[in-house]
């Protein structure tokens, strides 16, 4: 006897979907297979199978710094020695 099934609709960025589908295909899985596996793990473990955390203040500051560097499109340090000097500070 076959179990009753339900449809799940998910919106994804086109590029993420294409890259994800390609990676899954290389593993011999479809997107539907991956979602079914995800749900089975959630049910079996009663937890999300990836560690999810809220970033702390230090991490948030580092993320903001990285975003600012990317927005300026310039390096924070002139060379590797300057970076090491600040790290050793």
């Amino acid at each position: 006897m076959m179990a009753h099934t339900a449809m799940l609709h998910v919106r994804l960025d086109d590029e993420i979907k294409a890259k994800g589908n390609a990676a899954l295909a290389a593993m011999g899985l479809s997107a539907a297979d991956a979602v079914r596996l995800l749900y089975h793990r959630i049910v079996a473990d009663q937890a999300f199978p990836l560690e999810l955390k809220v970033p702390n203040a230090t991490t948030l500051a580092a993320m903001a710094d990285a975003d600012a560097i990317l927005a300026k499109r310039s390096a924070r340090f002139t060379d590797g020695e300057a970076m090491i000097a600040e790290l050793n500070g």
Side-chain angles (χ1 to χ4, degrees), residues 6-78:
M7 184 71 76
L8 175 68
H9 298 274
V10 179
R11 290 206 174 272
L12 292 173
D13 174 90
D14 288 336
E15 184 178 352
I16 293 294
K17 179 183 175 190
K19 288 180 178 180
N21 284 345
L24 289 167
M27 293 178 246
L29 298 171
S30 68
D33 294 331
V35 171
R36 279 190 290 275
L37 286 168
L38 172 67
Y39 269 72
H40 278 280
R41 283 291 308 269
I42 291 168
V43 169
D45 300 341
Q46 289 296 294
F48 196 77
L50 301 173
E51 185 175 0
L52 302 175
K53 293 182 178 181
V54 174
N56 62 27
T58 302
T59 301
L60 287 172
M63 291 165 60
D65 191 27
D67 288 342
I69 291 167
L70 288 172
K72 288 191 312 187
R73 295 197 176 271
S74 64
R76 181 173 166 194
F77 302 101
T78 55

